[in-house]
Amino acid sequence: MKEVILCKYGELVLKGANKSRFEAMLVRRCRQRAERFGNFTVSARQSTVYVEPMDELCDMDGMLESMCRMPGFNRVSVAAVCDKSMESLRECVREYLPHRMAGVKTFKVEAKRADKAFPLKSPEICAEVGAYILESVRGIRVNVQNPERVVRVEIRENGAYIHFDQLIGAGGMPIGSSGRALLMLSGGIDSPVAGYMMAKRGMTVDALHFESFPYTSERAKEKVLTLAKEVTEYTDCMYVHILSLTHIQEEIKNKCDEDYFTLLLRRFMYVLAERMAKKCHCEALITGESLGQVASQTLEAISVTDAMVQMPVFRPCIGLDKEEIVQISRRIGTFETSILPYEDCCTVFTPRHPRTRPDAAKVAAEAAKLDFDALCDEAFATMYTVKVTPDGFTTFEK
Ligand code: ATP
Ligand code: MG
């Protein structure tokens, strides 16, 4: 029995004149992803991308999972395909469903007739196919109110499809449809979630990670790259730029008021991030900040850091509680890595009493003790890049 993966559009169905451009992006991305899982053909029709295996060696389960993680689709399922006739549907039910629905007690059929030339109307298709199921699957009954399985029959332009296990897709918009942004990626829980959330809205996401060797370890960096790799299950590829803050942190520690350490450091981080963003053609920054979570994430502290950059800063976690962020991180598969206990540059030289309501004049006075531009230039010169994909890392600039 021939099978195909049906990937149904999310918000894309609402797009008017631009829909075909978005559709082309989705198809291109699916084709790229399919290369990992075998010889598939990919095409788009009627608000659905069809992913068809061309031989027995194709990894359907791998491809199905990958499609569920691709921004742009909200429902994904494996369907049996047959000709558009009731005889073929009957044959298909007999062959395809009995062992797949063995042990299922109740079902109902839903039919969609996208091809209006098909002679039977949807309720008639439901009744007929329901009867085929009753005669083919042992011990099964119809339950319209609360069925164990919903068997869906779709009569489409290019064939009839039967499926019964729709999976929830990632939703959102195709990657690349909403521009490019630079994610400030730490080893914590929040920033990978923030990157995922913006990728889901169609952004191509690059990342910038600040290290502080030897105060932060190789293993802490590996952890961040592992997190990036986990996020690429959704985004396909991520360039992670790594930059050292060691000297900046030592200068702050030696010359400035301890209460202002974090805030002064974050001003550097933002400026360096914007500079990097411009260099890699990103038009916005993304952070995992959540209002009030820590001293550097109060409204006053965020105002101080925001004032350092001109680019929009997207903070998709800003209104989420930690528990809500944790839930997303568990769902996307980054949580277990995020909680590995390695240090971050922000936890090096942490002040005992960080300012939650920083005084702008005092911040300026403390900042004036440092040669801001020279320190930025020096930090920027330490930058190197790692290309991260679901298959692993390649360091290609040092
Ligand atoms: P996370 O969001 O990763 O859990 P956090 O909640 O511990 O971090 P902070 O340490 O205050 O919060 O960091 C706030 C944001 O600053 C992070 O979400 C991230 O975007 C950015 N950030 C923090 N540390 C780094 C780092 N080492 N490299 C790059 N960005 C960082
Ligand atoms: Mg954290």
Side-chain angles (χ1 to χ4, degrees), residues 371-389:
D371 189 343
F372 195 90
D373 292 342
L375 282 169
C376 280
D377 288 347
E378 188 196 324
F380 211 73
T382 65
M383 195 268 294
Y384 63 98
T385 301
V386 182
K387 181 179 179 182
V388 181
T389 67

Side-chain angles (χ1 to χ4, degrees), residues 16 40 42 64 84 94 108 134 172 197 202 218 221 237 271 274 282 295 302 331 344 369 371-372:
F40 288 89
V42 178
L64 180 69
K84 284 189 282 185
R94 273 192 187 157
K108 77 168 174 179
L134 288 171
M197 286 172 82
E218 261 314 290
K221 184 173 68 194
C237 170
V271 168
E274 186 175 52
C282 290
I302 288 178
R331 181 161 52 78
D344 180 63
K369 296 175 181 170
D371 189 343
F372 195 90

Side-chain angles (χ1 to χ4, degrees), residues 46-272:
Q46 295 181 306
S47 293
T48 302
V49 167
Y50 297 74
V51 181
E52 252 177 90
M54 299 315 282
D55 57 43
E56 296 291 305
L57 299 174
C58 287
D59 174 1
M60 281 291 269
D61 291 343
M63 191 62 192
L64 180 69
E65 197 175 320
S66 183
M67 291 299 95
C68 287
R69 289 179 169 174
M70 197 161 113
F73 299 130
N74 66 356
R75 292 283 182 278
V76 181
S77 52
V78 175
V81 194
C82 64
D83 292 336
K84 284 189 282 185
S85 72
M86 291 318 287
E87 298 89 87
S88 298
L89 276 168
R90 183 176 195 172
E91 210 33 55
C92 186
V93 164
R94 273 192 187 157
E95 219 186 294
Y96 192 70
L97 289 187
H99 61 285
R100 286 180 177 80
M101 298 213 351
V104 176
K105 301 241 170 339
T106 55
F107 78 103
K108 77 168 174 179
V109 180
E110 281 182 2
K112 201 169 143 199
R113 195 178 55 130
D115 173 5
K116 298 295 176 211
F118 193 73
L120 272 66
K121 296 210 168 67
S122 297
E124 293 159 349
I125 300 171
C126 286
E128 288 281 314
V129 173
Y132 304 157
I133 293 175
L134 288 171
E135 71 189 24
S136 321
V137 182
R138 201 180 293 163
I140 204 161
R141 283 182 296 111
V142 175
N143 181 340
V144 184
Q145 302 302 333
N146 190 21
E148 220 176 296
R149 284 279 195 288
V150 178
V151 177
R152 294 189 165 80
V153 181
E154 301 188 33
I155 310 294
R156 292 173 158 261
E157 227 172 56
N158 49 337
Y161 297 81
I162 297 187
H163 57 104
F164 56 87
D165 208 2
Q166 280 208 119
L167 303 173
I168 309 279
M173 302 288 293
I175 302 237
S177 62
S178 303
R180 192 175 198 107
L182 186 67
L183 166 69
M184 292 164 72
L185 179 64
S186 70
I189 296 170
D190 311 330
S191 47
V193 167
Y196 154 79
M197 286 172 82
M198 296 318 298
K200 191 164 77 70
R201 292 307 303 162
M203 298 199 95
T204 303
V205 177
D206 287 338
L208 175 62
H209 174 65
F210 296 106
E211 62 178 356
S212 192
F213 194 75
Y215 307 107
T216 60
S217 63
E218 261 314 290
R219 290 207 306 181
K221 184 173 68 194
E222 294 270 316
K223 172 188 172 181
V224 171
L225 292 175
T226 303
L227 283 171
K229 180 168 173 277
E230 287 160 356
V231 175
T232 61
E233 292 288 345
Y234 297 87
T235 65
D236 297 325
C237 170
M238 190 185 272
Y239 291 96
V240 181
H241 311 290
I242 300 177
L243 230 150
S244 171
L245 292 181
T246 309
H247 192 213
I248 292 178
Q249 289 193 272
E250 288 170 342
E251 282 284 290
I252 295 175
K253 182 173 189 291
N254 292 335
K255 297 185 176 161
C256 303
D257 180 343
E258 184 188 324
D259 292 0
Y260 284 80
F261 281 2
T262 310
L263 212 56
L264 292 168
L265 180 65
R266 294 192 69 78
R267 289 167 94 245
F268 278 100
M269 288 166 76
Y270 267 68
V271 168
L272 289 165

Side-chain angles (χ1 to χ4, degrees), residues 4-24:
V4 49
I5 302 175
L6 299 179
C7 314
K8 312 244 174 115
Y9 299 174
E11 235 175 87
L12 221 64
V13 290
L14 306 173
K15 299 285 164 207
N18 287 329
K19 188 168 158 188
S20 58
R21 192 169 62 86
F22 291 126
E23 211 162 36

